[in-house]
Amino acid sequence: MVSKILVAVDGSECARRAFDSALKLGKDLGAKVIVMTVVQPPSMITMQKDLQGTIEMLLEKEAKILLANYGTIAEKRGVDFETILAIGYPSRVILNTAESKGADLIVVGSRGLGGLKELFLGSVSHAVVQNADIPVLVVK
């Protein structure tokens, strides 16, 4: 039985489709949908500390807006949800959050790059699929 669905979003069109799929599943199954986004801090060695801090702050602000927008959509559709903003390496944070929240399913978007590259999953979705202990739905 699926009672908690974790969906990772990043503002891309693939992530939006993954979110829509997670909401539909959540509504159909009566499951809670955990909507998360992960801010990966810039790791440029030559970047000044104050500039790095400013970039991190801007990324977090954008992530909060993104989650608020997704939360509004989930609420309008009548789906039980929660939002999470995390910081770190995306695939690791997604997997750790799925475990700590007791998720039964992870939903992620694939990367649509076109041509031959479309045969391969994005690096985050690939890492999640390869390392998850629970089912993963990759939405194209």
Side-chain angles (χ1 to χ4, degrees):
M1 181 171 136
V2 175
S3 63
K4 291 183 184 176
I5 300 168
L6 175 68
V7 59
V9 296
D10 63 3
S12 69
E13 186 56 37
C14 280
R16 175 58 190 252
R17 288 192 295 270
F19 171 76
D20 289 339
S21 295
L23 282 189
K24 182 171 180 359
L25 282 170
K27 187 154 184 112
D28 291 350
L29 300 172
K32 181 176 192 171
V33 177
I34 303 164
V35 185
M36 81 170 301
T37 192
V38 181
V39 173
Q40 184 171 354
S43 58
M44 301 171 103
I45 296 171
T46 59
M47 186 182 296
Q48 295 175 350
K49 293 282 187 200
D50 58 336
L51 180 58
Q52 185 173 351
T54 301
I55 291 172
E56 286 180 33
M57 188 174 62
L58 290 172
L59 290 172
E60 287 180 37
K61 182 178 179 183
E62 289 296 316
K64 287 176 184 175
I65 293 168
L66 178 72
L67 287 175
N69 291 337
Y70 281 127
T72 300
I73 294 166
E75 190 170 17
K76 285 182 181 177
R77 294 190 191 171
V79 176
D80 183 22
F81 74 97
E82 95 179 74
T83 59
I84 297 174
L85 169 59
I87 298 172
Y89 187 73
S91 61
R92 279 190 225 133
V93 173
I94 292 166
L95 292 166
N96 290 340
T97 302
E99 183 178 348
S100 69
K101 290 291 186 175
D104 305 297
L105 174 68
I106 300 170
V107 181
V108 293
S110 69
R111 186 187 305 183
L113 297 175
L116 290 175
K117 291 182 180 180
E118 199 165 297
L119 295 173
F120 302 100
L121 292 174
S123 59
V124 172
S125 54
H126 179 75
V128 170
V129 167
Q130 293 299 310
N131 296 294
D133 293 329
I134 60 173
V136 179
L137 172 62
V138 179
V139 179
K140 220 172 169 174

